[in-house]
Amino acid sequence: MLQCVLMLGTLFVSVLGVTNEGEPVVEWRADQVTIYDNEKHAVLYLGVDEPGSFDVTIELLSYGVGLDIARDVIIPDTAIIPAGKCKGSVNVSVADEAVGGGSENGYRKLRIRLNEVIEGKAAIGDYGFIGIMDVNILGHSTSGTGCRSGSLRTSRVVVSEADGAAVLTFIVNEPLPHDIVLGYRVDLEWTGTASHAQHEIDYVYSVEHHRGGVFKNVILRAGDTSVDIRIDIIDDDEPENTEQFIVHLEHGHLSSALTMLSDSVIVDIEDNDRCPGPLQYEYYDGSCYFKVSLPGEPALKAADASELCLQHDGHLAIITGGMENTIVGGTADNREAWIGAIRDQDNMDTFIWFDGSPLVYDSWRQREPNNLRGNEDCVKTNHVRLGLWNDTPCRDRSVRIAVCEKPAVTRGHPQP
């Protein structure tokens, strides 16, 4: 099944799935993000566990602590998860007039709630799903007590196994006059996760230096406002699903000096071994899907598209079900794209896949295929909307991309 990684809350675990009515669940992909007010911008991510054939539009409700929503921040009323995708984004901006604003403990908070799905097939999750996002905005402290506010940048990060490390940044609103020591530990088997980085039988991932929950330390130097925590990840060269671990800060001894806003972060490790190669891939059910085009994206003939797929050890996509069709359409970013269906030259009223196999699934647009010009022997997807097919000449100049498919790797070998 398609792996759409949903970001889970720091204090609880979201269960990936659908509602009782069979609708995908929408949630935020983290529950906290922290920025400095003079950075002015934050990008927040939300998602569903599987892509749909239509855009999903969600109404947002916002309120602030120490902020005037109408005056101090700019935030849209809705968020959109595009058709064929698992993720959408929301851009939040701090107004120029609000930069440099202060508060007693040096931070102000914007809280954004996923209120209602107003378009598309999805539902807002209830208990166990992240329906509220906090944006912590650091500024100067007005208390005069010397108390600062500190936080990890986010409660969730995603890293590639190939990156070699997860770099987590801790920031404070104002420099401290002296060094502070931050303890941290890595939990490979934190309570509630269904996919942790240490399996019962073997280690799928090794996280350097961390065994038995022992705390390590980093030092935030006097005069600095940030420090990085680097967690080294060892690439095991074996294909797996996304794995995860959690990093906790130990800060009890700092309670008199710091108001801690976010003190743990979940790290998702995206595997880079199932779909190796230089392109961007979507994995689903044993196959890797990818988009190809000629340089500059001129018109692309179907025969040339097939050749481009071969150059990357693949072939034009063969589609056998509705979810796969949605994924192929999303891989093409909802643009018209060649797929591997062709007219059967032995039975001109029938389409088959290029390898001679029959169409066990189709997604023709209404009144298609119609062989309108008498030479419509190839097929493009995303005609009019995501996932709809149309028969068309194999030299159709409106098509500029194609979606290819290749076997995923399993335990060092391509899947049959």
Side-chain angles (χ1 to χ4, degrees), residues 199-213:
H199 283 192
E200 293 178 358
I201 299 174
D202 64 330
Y203 286 95
V204 173
Y205 291 101
S206 295
V207 179
E208 191 173 316
H209 303 311
H210 301 282
R211 293 290 180 266

PDB file of all heavy atoms in Angstrom, residues 199-213:
ATOM      1  N   HIS A 199      13.642  -3.353  15.914  1.00  0.00           N
ATOM      2  CA  HIS A 199      12.683  -4.445  15.868  1.00  0.00           C
ATOM      3  C   HIS A 199      13.003  -5.487  16.932  1.00  0.00           C
ATOM      4  O   HIS A 199      14.098  -5.512  17.497  1.00  0.00           O
ATOM      5  CB  HIS A 199      12.709  -5.088  14.488  1.00  0.00           C
ATOM      6  CG  HIS A 199      11.986  -4.272  13.463  1.00  0.00           C
ATOM      7  ND1 HIS A 199      11.672  -4.742  12.225  1.00  0.00           N
ATOM      8  CD2 HIS A 199      11.522  -3.004  13.495  1.00  0.00           C
ATOM      9  CE1 HIS A 199      11.035  -3.816  11.526  1.00  0.00           C
ATOM     10  NE2 HIS A 199      10.948  -2.745  12.280  1.00  0.00           N
ATOM     11  N   GLU A 200      12.047  -6.358  17.208  1.00  0.00           N
ATOM     12  CA  GLU A 200      12.235  -7.379  18.233  1.00  0.00           C
ATOM     13  C   GLU A 200      13.354  -8.344  17.851  1.00  0.00           C
ATOM     14  O   GLU A 200      14.083  -8.838  18.699  1.00  0.00           O
ATOM     15  CB  GLU A 200      10.937  -8.151  18.438  1.00  0.00           C
ATOM     16  CG  GLU A 200       9.819  -7.321  19.047  1.00  0.00           C
ATOM     17  CD  GLU A 200       8.544  -8.125  19.187  1.00  0.00           C
ATOM     18  OE1 GLU A 200       8.532  -9.305  18.785  1.00  0.00           O
ATOM     19  OE2 GLU A 200       7.574  -7.572  19.700  1.00  0.00           O
ATOM     20  N   ILE A 201      13.485  -8.601  16.567  1.00  0.00           N
ATOM     21  CA  ILE A 201      14.442  -9.622  16.138  1.00  0.00           C
ATOM     22  C   ILE A 201      15.773  -9.002  15.710  1.00  0.00           C
ATOM     23  O   ILE A 201      16.835  -9.494  16.060  1.00  0.00           O
ATOM     24  CB  ILE A 201      13.852 -10.448  14.973  1.00  0.00           C
ATOM     25  CG1 ILE A 201      12.567 -11.153  15.456  1.00  0.00           C
ATOM     26  CG2 ILE A 201      14.853 -11.457  14.448  1.00  0.00           C
ATOM     27  CD1 ILE A 201      11.824 -11.871  14.366  1.00  0.00           C
ATOM     28  N   ASP A 202      15.718  -7.927  14.953  1.00  0.00           N
ATOM     29  CA  ASP A 202      16.963  -7.375  14.437  1.00  0.00           C
ATOM     30  C   ASP A 202      16.882  -5.857  14.378  1.00  0.00           C
ATOM     31  O   ASP A 202      15.802  -5.277  14.445  1.00  0.00           O
ATOM     32  CB  ASP A 202      17.269  -7.922  13.033  1.00  0.00           C
ATOM     33  CG  ASP A 202      16.222  -7.507  12.021  1.00  0.00           C
ATOM     34  OD1 ASP A 202      15.043  -7.318  12.425  1.00  0.00           O
ATOM     35  OD2 ASP A 202      16.548  -7.361  10.847  1.00  0.00           O
ATOM     36  N   TYR A 203      18.006  -5.217  14.239  1.00  0.00           N
ATOM     37  CA  TYR A 203      18.062  -3.773  14.079  1.00  0.00           C
ATOM     38  C   TYR A 203      17.879  -3.438  12.607  1.00  0.00           C
ATOM     39  O   TYR A 203      18.704  -3.811  11.770  1.00  0.00           O
ATOM     40  CB  TYR A 203      19.399  -3.225  14.566  1.00  0.00           C
ATOM     41  CG  TYR A 203      19.536  -3.210  16.061  1.00  0.00           C
ATOM     42  CD1 TYR A 203      20.151  -4.256  16.720  1.00  0.00           C
ATOM     43  CD2 TYR A 203      19.035  -2.153  16.810  1.00  0.00           C
ATOM     44  CE1 TYR A 203      20.274  -4.256  18.093  1.00  0.00           C
ATOM     45  CE2 TYR A 203      19.149  -2.146  18.191  1.00  0.00           C
ATOM     46  CZ  TYR A 203      19.771  -3.199  18.823  1.00  0.00           C
ATOM     47  OH  TYR A 203      19.880  -3.205  20.179  1.00  0.00           O
ATOM     48  N   VAL A 204      16.814  -2.734  12.288  1.00  0.00           N
ATOM     49  CA  VAL A 204      16.626  -2.270  10.924  1.00  0.00           C
ATOM     50  C   VAL A 204      17.483  -1.024  10.699  1.00  0.00           C
ATOM     51  O   VAL A 204      18.114  -0.852   9.685  1.00  0.00           O
ATOM     52  CB  VAL A 204      15.139  -1.970  10.656  1.00  0.00           C
ATOM     53  CG1 VAL A 204      14.964  -1.326   9.298  1.00  0.00           C
ATOM     54  CG2 VAL A 204      14.350  -3.263  10.710  1.00  0.00           C
ATOM     55  N   TYR A 205      17.496  -0.150  11.680  1.00  0.00           N
ATOM     56  CA  TYR A 205      18.359   1.028  11.638  1.00  0.00           C
ATOM     57  C   TYR A 205      19.220   1.056  12.890  1.00  0.00           C
ATOM     58  O   TYR A 205      18.778   0.666  13.968  1.00  0.00           O
ATOM     59  CB  TYR A 205      17.543   2.326  11.589  1.00  0.00           C
ATOM     60  CG  TYR A 205      16.802   2.516  10.305  1.00  0.00           C
ATOM     61  CD1 TYR A 205      15.454   2.240  10.211  1.00  0.00           C
ATOM     62  CD2 TYR A 205      17.460   2.971   9.170  1.00  0.00           C
ATOM     63  CE1 TYR A 205      14.768   2.403   9.030  1.00  0.00           C
ATOM     64  CE2 TYR A 205      16.779   3.137   7.988  1.00  0.00           C
ATOM     65  CZ  TYR A 205      15.448   2.856   7.910  1.00  0.00           C
ATOM     66  OH  TYR A 205      14.772   3.018   6.740  1.00  0.00           O
ATOM     67  N   SER A 206      20.437   1.508  12.745  1.00  0.00           N
ATOM     68  CA  SER A 206      21.296   1.767  13.890  1.00  0.00           C
ATOM     69  C   SER A 206      21.406   3.268  14.081  1.00  0.00           C
ATOM     70  O   SER A 206      21.618   3.997  13.117  1.00  0.00           O
ATOM     71  CB  SER A 206      22.691   1.174  13.668  1.00  0.00           C
ATOM     72  OG  SER A 206      22.627  -0.225  13.590  1.00  0.00           O
ATOM     73  N   VAL A 207      21.236   3.715  15.304  1.00  0.00           N
ATOM     74  CA  VAL A 207      21.373   5.129  15.620  1.00  0.00           C
ATOM     75  C   VAL A 207      22.595   5.264  16.505  1.00  0.00           C
ATOM     76  O   VAL A 207      22.634   4.747  17.622  1.00  0.00           O
ATOM     77  CB  VAL A 207      20.113   5.673  16.313  1.00  0.00           C
ATOM     78  CG1 VAL A 207      20.288   7.152  16.647  1.00  0.00           C
ATOM     79  CG2 VAL A 207      18.906   5.480  15.415  1.00  0.00           C
ATOM     80  N   GLU A 208      23.613   5.917  15.998  1.00  0.00           N
ATOM     81  CA  GLU A 208      24.928   5.916  16.614  1.00  0.00           C
ATOM     82  C   GLU A 208      24.901   6.457  18.044  1.00  0.00           C
ATOM     83  O   GLU A 208      24.259   7.461  18.331  1.00  0.00           O
ATOM     84  CB  GLU A 208      25.882   6.742  15.751  1.00  0.00           C
ATOM     85  CG  GLU A 208      27.344   6.602  16.158  1.00  0.00           C
ATOM     86  CD  GLU A 208      28.253   7.300  15.178  1.00  0.00           C
ATOM     87  OE1 GLU A 208      28.035   7.152  13.961  1.00  0.00           O
ATOM     88  OE2 GLU A 208      29.162   7.981  15.649  1.00  0.00           O
ATOM     89  N   HIS A 209      25.629   5.786  18.926  1.00  0.00           N
ATOM     90  CA  HIS A 209      25.896   6.198  20.309  1.00  0.00           C
ATOM     91  C   HIS A 209      24.731   5.951  21.276  1.00  0.00           C
ATOM     92  O   HIS A 209      24.897   6.184  22.468  1.00  0.00           O
ATOM     93  CB  HIS A 209      26.259   7.683  20.410  1.00  0.00           C
ATOM     94  CG  HIS A 209      27.421   8.079  19.585  1.00  0.00           C
ATOM     95  ND1 HIS A 209      28.607   7.390  19.582  1.00  0.00           N
ATOM     96  CD2 HIS A 209      27.587   9.099  18.716  1.00  0.00           C
ATOM     97  CE1 HIS A 209      29.456   7.965  18.764  1.00  0.00           C
ATOM     98  NE2 HIS A 209      28.869   9.003  18.218  1.00  0.00           N
ATOM     99  N   HIS A 210      23.576   5.525  20.806  1.00  0.00           N
ATOM    100  CA  HIS A 210      22.426   5.519  21.703  1.00  0.00           C
ATOM    101  C   HIS A 210      21.947   4.095  21.971  1.00  0.00           C
ATOM    102  O   HIS A 210      21.396   3.439  21.115  1.00  0.00           O
ATOM    103  CB  HIS A 210      21.288   6.353  21.113  1.00  0.00           C
ATOM    104  CG  HIS A 210      21.716   7.768  20.894  1.00  0.00           C
ATOM    105  ND1 HIS A 210      21.809   8.687  21.899  1.00  0.00           N
ATOM    106  CD2 HIS A 210      22.118   8.401  19.780  1.00  0.00           C
ATOM    107  CE1 HIS A 210      22.236   9.836  21.410  1.00  0.00           C
ATOM    108  NE2 HIS A 210      22.437   9.680  20.130  1.00  0.00           N
ATOM    109  N   ARG A 211      22.195   3.647  23.181  1.00  0.00           N
ATOM    110  CA  ARG A 211      21.699   2.362  23.630  1.00  0.00           C
ATOM    111  C   ARG A 211      21.241   2.540  25.079  1.00  0.00           C
ATOM    112  O   ARG A 211      21.907   3.182  25.884  1.00  0.00           O
ATOM    113  CB  ARG A 211      22.793   1.291  23.561  1.00  0.00           C
ATOM    114  CG  ARG A 211      23.224   0.953  22.131  1.00  0.00           C
ATOM    115  CD  ARG A 211      22.120   0.205  21.400  1.00  0.00           C
ATOM    116  NE  ARG A 211      22.527  -0.126  20.044  1.00  0.00           N
ATOM    117  CZ  ARG A 211      22.247   0.622  18.994  1.00  0.00           C
ATOM    118  NH1 ARG A 211      21.580   1.748  19.138  1.00  0.00           N
ATOM    119  NH2 ARG A 211      22.631   0.229  17.797  1.00  0.00           N
ATOM    120  N   GLY A 212      20.114   2.003  25.409  1.00  0.00           N
ATOM    121  CA  GLY A 212      19.651   2.019  26.786  1.00  0.00           C
ATOM    122  C   GLY A 212      19.158   3.361  27.276  1.00  0.00           C
ATOM    123  O   GLY A 212      19.046   3.581  28.473  1.00  0.00           O
ATOM    124  N   GLY A 213      18.835   4.277  26.364  1.00  0.00           N
ATOM    125  CA  GLY A 213      18.248   5.553  26.769  1.00  0.00           C
ATOM    126  C   GLY A 213      19.183   6.470  27.531  1.00  0.00           C
ATOM    127  O   GLY A 213      18.739   7.291  28.326  1.00  0.00           O
TER     128      GLY A 213
END
